[in-house]
Amino acid sequence: MAKTDDSDIKIFEAAKSKDRQTDDLLEAAAFLHRQRANGNIEKARLLGAGLALLDPGDFEPINTSMQLKSDSEFMHQARALLVFVVQTTLHGQLGSDVLSSCAVNAMYDKLIENQADFYERICDGTAFTLYTLAMKEKDFEAKLGEAFAALCPSEADKDFFKQLGIKIFYGASAATMKIIEKYKFSPL
């Protein structure tokens, strides 16, 4: 049998992999400790709990329409979109999965505490699935608006509800970013 050159074959070394995993774990623990020590974890929790109290009725043009505000199914869909936008904005703006997860978990805890029925209804995931798929599109604002219109109970004017969904998206994003700024998170 002819001898072949096998010098280019690498043998997996479990010890190096374990060392790398240990280093990653220690680094994550140190990061978490720094975020607790500088107050960012507590700020994220307070931020999330406060954002749970945002009301879609505060956004134009919902707040000027008694007809929309009196439609409980519409308000459910508007609140679901609001929660989705807040969650998405937190993940995009806080700069750390640890902080955004703390804020989002605190928001959900507050929703469970204050609006358990609403929380149970959004757990089915239909709205969030449609909104997540829309966010992956090039023209995500229009797709998000279309998803919102499809979920709204009225068959009357889908274009109106599409535009309303887009306005809720921009209003909720801006409001969330403004609230995040007030918390003055320490640099990561």
Side-chain angles (χ1 to χ4, degrees), residues 145 148-150 152-164:
F148 178 71
C152 284
S154 177
E155 295 295 323
D157 187 355
K158 289 297 181 186
D159 191 56
F160 169 78
F161 287 106
K162 174 184 173 182
Q163 295 307 315
L164 183 57

Side-chain angles (χ1 to χ4, degrees), residues 25-153:
L25 185 59
L26 290 173
E27 185 178 321
F31 177 80
L32 184 59
H33 177 72
R34 283 192 311 274
Q35 298 313 304
R36 278 193 183 118
N38 68 18
N40 281 351
I41 296 289
E42 185 60 22
K43 288 177 186 177
R45 287 185 181 132
L46 292 170
L47 170 64
L51 289 170
L53 303 176
L54 282 178
D55 184 350
D58 295 338
F59 296 99
E60 289 288 341
I62 298 173
N63 69 353
T64 58
S65 172
M66 290 309 294
Q67 182 179 359
L68 290 176
K69 286 175 114 174
S70 66
D71 185 332
S72 63
E73 185 57 31
F74 166 77
M75 289 304 287
H76 169 79
Q77 293 303 332
R79 180 169 292 288
L81 176 57
L82 175 66
V83 168
F84 175 82
V85 173
V86 167
Q87 178 177 315
T88 303
T89 304
L90 287 169
H91 284 301
Q93 295 296 310
L94 289 185
S96 156
D97 289 342
V98 169
L99 295 179
S100 61
S101 292
C102 284
V104 169
N105 288 339
M107 177 179 66
Y108 283 125
D109 288 345
K110 186 59 87 173
L111 286 174
I112 291 167
E113 181 183 318
N114 294 336
Q115 300 171 22
D117 292 340
F118 167 74
Y119 177 79
E120 288 298 321
R121 283 189 65 197
I122 64 170
C123 285
D124 75 6
T126 304
F128 278 36
T129 298
L130 292 174
Y131 296 147
T132 300
L133 292 172
M135 294 295 283
K136 293 179 181 189
E137 297 293 325
K138 186 174 166 182
D139 57 342
F140 73 90
E141 297 97 337
K143 296 296 184 189
L144 192 87
E146 289 170 8
F148 178 71
L151 292 165
C152 284

